[in-house]
Amino acid sequence: MSSNLMPGTLLIADPFLKDPNFARTVVLLCEHQEEQGSFGFVINKLFEQTLSELIPDISLPNIPVYFGGPVQLDTIHFVHELPHLIEGSMQLRPGIHWGGRFDQVVTLINSGQIDPGKIKFFIGYSGWNTGQLQQELKEKSWILSEGNARLIFKEAEQDIWKVSLRNMGQDFAMMANFPIDPSLN
């Protein structure tokens, strides 16, 4: 089970996961180390401020920022499809890269050289201590899937959770329509 936990893996929240930080979310796993823990970013939870509101050096308005998770909400992170433009990034999966030189990103955005649809910014991140994510997998809090660039960069954030489940086949597609609270059914 934990052998599937590699960079670029998607953690799709079980339909009945109640944690308000992760209910109906999809997390892009960026790093997993058995002895040190794991971290990634919620890719489908829009933050209330734009990038230019958080980083005054950004001149292009309306670039969305996503709530990456509840850890270190004073940090900005990014994933992108632009390794040829952004130095120092790490490939998570084909077409999905994490990080790189932020000063370079600011310059490229301000000069119009970056398509905002090919980069996604996050405030904070999702983190798990040693063994914590493995325990959550045993409890069936998460469904594992492979990440893909189309889902991360092209799909509307409100559709990512449902599309992620549907992409996994018929058995999981039914889960996409489960009510948030089955007792209200």
Side-chain angles (χ1 to χ4, degrees):
M1 177 184 338
S2 62
S3 63
N4 295 334
L5 293 173
M6 59 184 64
T9 299
L10 295 180
L11 305 173
I12 305 167
D14 176 81
F16 304 116
L17 183 64
K18 300 256 189 261
D19 183 328
N21 290 310
F22 298 107
R24 305 278 166 128
T25 63
V26 177
V27 176
L28 173 64
L29 195 62
C30 293
E31 194 168 286
H32 172 75
Q33 296 181 9
E34 296 285 336
E35 304 303 318
Q36 296 177 336
S38 309
F39 86 93
F41 307 112
V42 173
I43 61 171
N44 65 324
K45 201 170 183 181
L46 202 55
F47 191 65
E48 64 268 7
Q49 292 177 287
T50 64
L51 189 62
S52 61
E53 290 172 314
L54 296 171
I55 309 287
D57 292 344
I58 301 287
S59 62
L60 191 62
N62 303 323
I63 296 176
V65 174
Y66 295 82
F67 174 76
V71 182
Q72 287 191 339
L73 292 172
D74 59 347
T75 60
I76 299 283
H77 309 271
F78 59 98
V79 295
H80 57 88
E81 298 179 277
L82 306 163
H84 57 287
L85 293 177
I86 302 170
E87 295 172 14
S89 62
M90 181 177 134
Q91 181 173 309
L92 301 176
R93 287 236 190 254
I96 307 169
H97 295 79
W98 159 49
R101 288 191 39 210
F102 192 75
D103 61 327
Q104 195 174 30
V105 171
V106 170
T107 300
L108 291 167
I109 288 173
N110 289 341
S111 65
Q113 296 178 64
I114 284 186
D115 173 355
K118 294 184 178 280
I119 190 166
K120 205 166 194 174
F121 294 92
F122 305 95
I123 188 161
Y125 65 90
S126 302
W128 293 266
N129 290 324
T130 304
Q132 184 181 2
L133 182 55
Q134 292 89 331
Q135 183 60 39
E136 290 180 16
L137 288 168
K138 285 179 191 167
E139 294 166 358
K140 301 202 182 300
S141 297
W142 301 103
I143 300 162
L144 299 181
S145 179
E146 287 185 14
N148 69 72
R150 185 195 55 72
L151 181 76
I152 293 167
F153 299 107
K154 306 294 184 258
E155 202 65 59
E157 65 271 350
Q158 67 270 16
D159 298 331
I160 289 175
W161 183 79
K162 285 184 176 191
V163 170
S164 296
L165 287 170
R166 289 181 185 133
N167 286 348
M168 293 188 64
Q170 190 61 31
D171 292 344
F172 292 96
M174 293 184 333
M175 296 172 90
N177 296 318
F178 284 1
I180 291 174
D181 186 348
S183 68
L184 299 176
N185 228 4

